[in-house]
Amino acid sequence: MEGQAAMPYQGQPSGPPAPANPWQPVALPDGAGPSYQGDDVPDTDPEDNDDEEQPPKMLPPPDLASFATPPGYEQYSAGAPLPPPAYTAPEETSAPLQTFTGIGTMNEQQVRDAICAYADQQCCYGTGAAQAMTFEKMEASGGLHYQLETFTETRTTSWQHLPYQGGQVDGPHCGPSRGPWDIACSPNDSFNTHEKNLEVPHTSNIKQCHNCTGCGFVRCPKCHGRGKVRCSSCHGSGRRTVHRNGKSERTSCSWCHGSGRRRCSRCSGDGRIICPICQGFAQLRWFIELKVKFTNNVEDFIHETTDLPDELIRDVSGKTVFEQTLPYVWPISQYHVPAINENSISIVERHRTAWPNSKTLQQRQILRSVPVTEVEYIYKDQKSRFWVYGNEHEVHCPEYPQTCCWGCTIL
């Protein structure tokens, strides 16, 4: 197969004859030698050890350059991304109106409940401080979380193969192959990363299995084609040491009946196993496979003016201030916080050219307002602060005033 010159397609309504049943190893009678006759059989029996058994030896695939490639796929069968259709930028005059909603806040009772629940959930925190602390100042603000999702599609092609079991072959005789971007393939759902593999129509052709050279079997990896393995009980000696009446004596091994050898359990003594590539059918159906990868590319920006760590805003819920889903979104440019406008423009512009080998299917941008309340409190002459954030009323309190490292006995 290797080095074979590329031949033009010769389509047939059906492929060459395939065996009615795949090749199967034969259980040989005792005393019969193995059927495997290759020149790679070792001179001695290998040890009967399943832990050291190697997988079947695989031969390299044929030279794919020797395959006659269907028109339109001459440069696109090696796994490289295929250039998508040309991108057309939307006209700025068609930009939709941007309308924003307000932000939410929380009251003192909600803050008190949140700090009490926080203390109660910690292993060594006393809840008394949460109940008794005095709130000197509560300042409500809103953390802003802007996120842009760009849902893209990338297509690659490669030669693949399956065991050929006979039957019709969808080759070039059935018609010309459609281009890689002309084959219909829709995502299961938008903004969710996943892959689909499709067979390109009219690209099948039948070849002899390269791994077994068309015989349907390969050398058994356990006995290396010998059909026998060294007995693991006596290690090939045929005899074992047994202890009877306080004495040791050598006796014939009952596992191998004194021969030191046992029939290979993998191939039943045949020395051959089914070829793992063609599954015993001796032939392969080669075809071009189209891999379609849908990817949700996400980038975000967090604007939060207090000392609360910004990353905490990302994982809590808030109120959606603005949301837009379009083939190509327009950046936010009319919000009253300049940092949001600036970063939205920057991120949207970056996503326009970030994936030149992918097709943009859809974009979605969301601006969320997450309620944040910074609380300054006093407890037993100790002043500090904590933050309550998100609709879940999560608490960030790095200096809680009542902790214990010797058990959970504080009330």
Side-chain angles (χ1 to χ4, degrees), residues 202-279:
H202 316 328
T203 60
S204 291
N205 59 94
I206 308 304
K207 302 287 184 180
Q208 175 182 284
C209 177
H210 58 274
N211 192 58
C212 64
T213 62
C215 63
F217 61 82
V218 295
R219 188 186 76 165
C220 175
K222 182 166 185 158
C223 66
H224 301 170
R226 293 181 60 85
K228 299 283 187 179
V229 291
R230 193 179 305 127
C231 177
S232 59
S233 180
C234 64
H235 303 289
S237 68
R239 301 182 67 79
R240 297 178 59 195
T241 300
V242 296
H243 301 276
R244 296 174 181 168
N245 301 322
K247 296 181 179 180
S248 299
E249 59 181 75
R250 299 283 287 174
T251 184
S252 178
C253 177
S254 58
W255 277 42
C256 62
H257 305 290
S259 68
R261 311 172 72 202
R262 299 188 67 194
R263 177 185 292 179
C264 176
S265 59
R266 178 74 183 273
C267 65
S268 301
D270 187 272
R272 305 172 295 178
I273 64 168
I274 296 173
C275 174
I277 299 297
C278 68
Q279 299 298 314

Side-chain angles (χ1 to χ4, degrees), residues 3 11 38 69 86 90 92 95 105 120 148 182 185 211 254 259 313 315 335 380 388:
T69 306
E92 291 296 331
T105 59
D120 187 57
L148 175 64
D182 297 328
C185 181
N211 192 58
S254 58
S259 68
I313 297 295
D315 298 324
Y335 196 59
K380 293 184 178 180
V388 181

Side-chain angles (χ1 to χ4, degrees), residues 110-222:
Q110 290 174 318
V111 171
R112 179 75 65 182
D113 292 344
I115 190 65
C116 289
Y118 169 77
D120 187 57
Q121 293 167 4
Q122 311 306 311
C123 177
C124 298
Y125 284 18
T127 57
Q131 296 168 355
M133 63 176 55
T134 301
F135 296 163
E136 291 198 320
K137 182 180 180 182
M138 289 176 48
E139 185 171 345
S141 63
L144 295 170
H145 181 209
Y146 172 78
Q147 178 174 282
L148 175 64
E149 299 169 88
T150 298
F151 190 52
T152 61
E153 175 182 350
T154 307
R155 296 194 173 196
T156 58
T157 57
S158 61
W159 283 104
Q160 299 295 331
H161 57 74
L162 291 171
Y164 176 60
Q165 304 179 32
Q168 298 294 320
V169 177
D170 182 20
H173 60 279
C174 297
S177 300
R178 287 175 291 173
W181 282 101
D182 297 328
I183 298 173
C185 181
S186 300
N188 295 336
D189 49 87
S190 298
F191 304 107
N192 179 32
T193 297
H194 59 286
E195 291 185 3
K196 288 186 174 183
N197 296 322
L198 307 174
E199 180 177 332
V200 177
H202 316 328
T203 60
S204 291
N205 59 94
I206 308 304
K207 302 287 184 180
Q208 175 182 284
C209 177
H210 58 274
N211 192 58
C212 64
T213 62
C215 63
F217 61 82
V218 295
R219 188 186 76 165
C220 175
K222 182 166 185 158

Side-chain angles (χ1 to χ4, degrees), residues 258-408:
S259 68
R261 311 172 72 202
R262 299 188 67 194
R263 177 185 292 179
C264 176
S265 59
R266 178 74 183 273
C267 65
S268 301
D270 187 272
R272 305 172 295 178
I273 64 168
I274 296 173
C275 174
I277 299 297
C278 68
Q279 299 298 314
F281 286 97
Q283 298 180 99
L284 299 173
R285 182 176 66 85
W286 286 85
F287 57 92
I288 293 180
E289 181 181 76
L290 175 65
K291 177 180 287 187
V292 184
K293 183 175 183 180
F294 300 100
T295 304
N296 193 34
N297 304 279
V298 182
E299 189 173 355
D300 66 354
F301 168 72
I302 295 174
H303 177 75
E304 210 283 312
T305 57
T306 74
D307 291 334
L308 178 74
D310 288 351
E311 64 272 11
L312 297 180
I313 297 295
R314 183 177 290 114
D315 298 324
V316 294
S317 62
K319 183 178 182 180
T320 299
V321 175
F322 176 76
E323 181 172 358
Q324 184 183 68
T325 301
L326 291 169
Y328 295 94
V329 300
W330 281 264
I332 293 176
S333 58
Q334 303 165 22
Y335 196 59
H336 67 273
V337 179
I340 294 297
N341 299 330
E342 294 167 4
N343 281 275
S344 175
I345 292 171
S346 175
I347 293 173
V348 169
E349 185 63 30
R350 188 157 51 247
H351 278 221
R352 290 281 168 88
T353 57
W355 301 279
N357 291 321
S358 301
K359 177 183 178 182
T360 296
L361 301 179
Q362 215 171 21
Q363 288 185 314
R364 177 171 63 190
Q365 60 179 347
I366 299 175
L367 177 61
R368 297 187 307 120
S369 173
V370 176
V372 175
T373 298
E374 181 178 350
V375 182
E376 295 180 8
Y377 69 88
I378 185 170
Y379 175 72
K380 293 184 178 180
D381 298 327
Q382 177 182 345
K383 290 186 177 182
S384 190
R385 57 182 178 165
F386 66 88
W387 293 262
V388 181
Y389 60 97
N391 289 344
E392 300 85 354
H393 293 172
E394 296 288 339
V395 173
H396 176 65
C397 185
E399 298 177 353
Y400 189 76
Q402 192 177 15
T403 62
C404 176
C405 297
W406 300 279
C408 304

Side-chain angles (χ1 to χ4, degrees), residues 20-61:
N21 297 297
W23 180 90
Q24 294 286 343
V26 179
L28 300 178
D30 291 338
S35 301
Y36 184 74
Q37 300 298 322
D39 57 5
D40 54 349
V41 179
D43 296 330
T44 59
D45 297 327
E47 190 74 29
D48 184 11
N49 189 339
D50 291 336
D51 294 334
E52 296 181 1
E53 180 182 332
Q54 299 297 316
K57 184 179 179 181
M58 299 291 188
L59 296 180

